[in-house]
């Protein structure tokens, strides 16, 4: 009989690329995971890992076992969902990873509504960057992820996830008033870091508008972007949620498209999307979001 815990550890090694990285993410020691995987190899009678330099990688048999483990975990998730549905009112602990702006603006009112409607439901938030949050979801460290996506960008880097769009947030380009007369390619811009999907989207919007932006500043903090515009130091693309929360009076630039927007999504693992607790959380966040977003011009 295969041990599911050991299978999950093998899956973590496959996901993170090494025993060391898996140990760091799971808060295990390297030796503890190595010992468990050695036991798994004895259980299976097969070599699951092979040495490559100073690290290890899965053998073809190991990769096949991980694929089968994914199917087992999905089946368990489906069974848990059906059991929860049979028990009636949503209850239990749900951990949600969220990005900064929606966590600050939307989630407090969503949590208040959930606490009033479902007193047996305990929702816990974890502020995470979108890329890290997806990995946490796959690794079963969180139950759901609230994230955003931009036209032309992928929702997530891997399969096995269910994505539900719960709202849309307009995104507009802003220039400091003193820079309005400058060519757009001669204005300093503040954008998110290079690995961010929003950065790739912003560059594409600029190029389709006929200019290459001069990226002078980088930050994942959208409120910082807003303050740079207000201070007259840089141009930026800003979601309406951020501008409205700050009560800013800056005006969007007429030279940039006015029909831009991002989708706000809730990601869950496949097999759990119909779980009553996750349904309740998704509906509450969508309702709270609707009160804060405005329609594009």
């Amino acid at each position: 009989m295969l041990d599911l815990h050991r299978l999950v550890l093998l899956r973590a090694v496959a996901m993170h690329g090494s025993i060391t990285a898996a140990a760091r993410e799971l808060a295990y020691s390297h030796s503890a995971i190595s010992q468990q995987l050695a036991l798994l190899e004895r259980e299976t009678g097969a070599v699951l890992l092979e040495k490559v330099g100073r690290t290890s990688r899965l053998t073809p048999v190991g990769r096949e076992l991980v694929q089968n483990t994914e199917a087992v975990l999905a089946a368990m998730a489906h069974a848990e969902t059906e059991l929860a549905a049979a028990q009636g009112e949503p209850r239990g602990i749900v951990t949600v990873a969220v990005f900064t702006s929606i966590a600050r603006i939307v989630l407090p009112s969503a949590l208040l509504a959930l606490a009033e409607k479902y007193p047996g439901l305990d929702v816990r938030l974890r502020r995470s960057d979108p890329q890290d949050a997806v990995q946490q979801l796959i690794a079963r460290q969180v139950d759901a992820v609230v994230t955003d996506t931009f036209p032309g960008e992928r929702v997530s880097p891997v399969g096995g996830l269910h994505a539900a769009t719960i709202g849309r947030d307009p995104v507009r380009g802003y220039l400091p008033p003193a820079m309005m007369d400058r060519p757009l390619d001669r204005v300093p811009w503040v954008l998110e870091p290079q690995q961010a999907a929003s950065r790739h989207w912003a560059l594409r919007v600029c190029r389709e508008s006929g200019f290459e932006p001069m990226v002078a500043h980088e930050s994942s903090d959208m409120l910082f972007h807003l303050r740079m515009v207000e201070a007259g130091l840089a141009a930026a693309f800003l979601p309406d949620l951020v501008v409205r929360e700050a009560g800013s009076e800056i005006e969007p630039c007429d030279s940039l498209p006015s029909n831009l927007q991002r989708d706000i999504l809730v990601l869950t693992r496949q097999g759990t999307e119909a779980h009553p607790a996750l349904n309740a959380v998704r509906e509450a966040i969508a309702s709270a979001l609707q009160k804060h977003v405005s329609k594009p011009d």
Side-chain angles (χ1 to χ4, degrees):
M1 181 72 69
L2 295 179
D3 184 278
L4 182 59
H5 174 64
R6 293 176 190 135
L7 291 172
V8 170
L9 291 180
L10 182 67
R11 174 180 180 265
V13 173
M15 183 185 310
H16 298 292
S18 70
I19 294 177
T20 299
R24 183 172 57 248
E25 288 296 321
L26 299 176
Y28 277 75
S29 67
H30 185 286
S31 61
I33 291 185
S34 296
Q35 291 170 9
Q36 291 298 309
L37 294 182
L39 289 172
L40 183 60
E41 288 189 325
R42 286 203 287 271
E43 288 175 348
T44 60
V47 177
L48 305 176
L49 293 166
E50 59 185 359
K51 280 286 187 181
V52 180
R54 295 185 177 181
T55 187
S56 300
R57 69 181 179 190
L58 270 67
T59 63
V61 174
R63 290 194 295 272
E64 183 177 355
L65 189 56
V66 167
Q67 290 178 353
N68 290 330
T69 300
E70 296 286 0
V72 170
L73 293 174
M76 289 180 61
H78 181 71
E80 291 171 356
T81 297
E82 290 194 336
L83 179 61
Q87 293 176 338
E89 183 174 290
R91 61 180 64 253
I93 298 173
V94 174
T95 304
V96 183
V98 297
F99 62 92
T100 301
S101 60
I102 199 165
R104 191 174 56 229
I105 301 165
V106 175
L107 266 296
S109 56
L111 292 186
L112 285 172
L114 285 167
E116 181 178 349
K117 189 172 183 180
Y118 304 113
L121 187 59
D122 181 3
V123 181
R124 303 178 181 183
L125 303 182
R126 180 180 297 179
R127 214 297 302 173
S128 299
D129 291 329
Q131 297 91 337
D132 294 336
V134 169
Q135 292 301 319
Q136 292 166 11
L137 180 62
I138 297 167
R140 304 172 72 85
Q141 296 169 347
V142 300
D143 302 303
V145 171
V146 183
T147 188
D148 58 1
T149 188
F150 293 79
E153 300 297 328
R154 293 182 63 189
V155 172
S156 66
V158 294
L161 300 182
H162 176 270
T165 301
I166 60 170
R168 292 180 171 85
D169 184 23
V171 180
R172 310 174 202 267
Y174 294 86
L175 270 67
M179 298 182 183
M180 287 293 187
D181 294 333
R182 293 192 201 177
L184 292 174
D185 61 352
R186 300 294 298 276
V187 172
W189 285 79
V190 55
L191 297 181
E192 293 204 62
Q194 293 187 9
Q195 68 272 19
S198 57
R199 165 73 168 257
H200 301 306
W201 169 84
L203 290 174
R204 189 170 66 251
V205 170
C206 292
R207 290 163 183 164
E208 290 175 354
S209 298
F211 72 97
E212 186 70 25
M214 182 174 64
V215 183
H217 313 284
E218 293 184 1
S219 173
S220 59
D221 183 352
M222 298 306 296
L223 189 58
F224 171 74
H225 293 207
L226 172 63
R227 299 309 183 201
M228 291 291 281
V229 176
E230 291 178 328
L233 296 172
F237 288 100
L238 295 168
D240 276 13
L241 276 176
V242 174
V243 176
R244 295 180 67 190
E245 182 208 12
S248 180
E249 296 181 356
I250 60 174
E251 294 292 334
C253 174
D254 293 337
S255 302
L256 291 166
S258 61
N259 61 342
L260 307 174
Q261 63 183 14
R262 61 177 177 169
D263 287 345
I264 308 299
L265 311 175
V266 174
L267 306 181
T268 51
R269 291 182 294 276
Q270 286 184 356
T272 68
E273 63 270 16
H275 194 289
L278 292 176
N279 271 338
V281 170
R282 185 165 47 237
E283 291 170 4
I285 297 173
S287 178
L289 176 65
Q290 189 61 36
K291 298 175 182 177
H292 289 275
V293 297
S294 59
K295 296 181 180 180
D297 293 337

